Amino acid sequence: MTRTVALLAAIAFLGGCGGEDSPTSTEATAQLQPKAFASAAQAAVNQDLATLRQVTASFHNFAAATAAGWAAQITPCMESPEGGMGFHYGNVGLIDGTARVDQPELLLYEPESNGQLRLVAVEYIIPYTFHSRDAAPPVLFGQEFQQVDAFQLWGLHAWVWKNNPSGTFAAWNPLVNCANATATSRMSH
């Protein structure tokens, strides 16, 4: 007990020896809050991405994805000068104007040389009919959705199954291509 009291007294004494340049407790707390908030926000995003990976892991098997409702081919294999996206397969029952981490509306597949499709990403979409183009963008994972006028919707990609050097939430992935697809669409998204 005596040792603890002496230690606390020494800490208090040293805390007071910093001179006038030392921040007050309130100033120090204010300086730490943005970093703590950013760290907590990133932890929440990482947890949401882990949830997304967990709920989509079985969809590496394309037959499992179609059986679970992602059966509607929404686009041919898409690529642009910025990279590719692959094929978009949708679960039309989820296109309801909401965006939930564990229910992406679209699954993105890259065609492989063996004829199989490889799950590379998901896309969350909200059509303008549910959320006006003139409104503030929807937000998920702390990211604002992007306007996709070609399809009259808001969209947000999450590259959770293939690394994207352009960023986890970038629209195009320079590592994805449609070289093995028979039907492609070149555009900007």
Side-chain angles (χ1 to χ4, degrees), residues 5-169:
V5 171
L7 182 59
L8 289 174
I11 291 171
F13 175 75
L14 290 174
C17 292
E20 292 187 14
D21 290 338
S22 297
T24 64
S25 175
T26 304
E27 290 169 340
T29 300
Q31 291 171 356
L32 292 175
Q33 284 176 341
K35 290 180 182 176
F37 178 75
S39 178
Q42 187 58 49
V45 168
N46 290 343
Q47 180 60 47
D48 284 345
L49 290 170
T51 297
L52 176 58
R53 284 184 190 98
Q54 181 181 15
V55 300
T56 59
S58 65
F59 303 145
H60 285 284
N61 178 324
F62 184 69
T66 57
W70 282 269
Q73 184 178 333
I74 305 297
T75 69
C77 192
M78 294 179 63
E79 57 186 357
S80 81
E82 293 86 32
M85 289 184 195
F87 291 98
H88 291 66
Y89 283 87
N91 184 330
V92 295
L94 297 177
I95 302 173
D96 60 4
T98 63
R100 294 175 296 277
V101 167
D102 62 341
Q103 294 183 337
E105 289 81 7
L106 307 177
L107 301 177
L108 280 61
Y109 287 91
E110 179 180 28
E112 296 184 309
S113 60
N114 64 4
Q116 300 295 309
L117 294 174
R118 178 179 181 221
L119 178 63
V120 292
V122 306
E123 186 174 4
Y124 296 90
I125 62 169
I126 299 178
Y128 292 160
T129 55
F130 290 107
H131 190 95
S132 170
R133 184 190 190 286
D134 299 326
V139 175
L140 192 64
F141 301 105
Q143 303 289 315
E144 291 185 351
F145 281 53
Q146 301 300 309
Q147 293 174 336
V148 186
D149 291 335
F151 296 106
Q152 297 294 295
L153 57 81
W154 295 93
L156 179 67
H157 292 83
W159 294 92
V160 293
W161 294 112
K162 185 163 189 169
N163 179 51
N164 186 346
S166 299
T168 301
F169 302 105

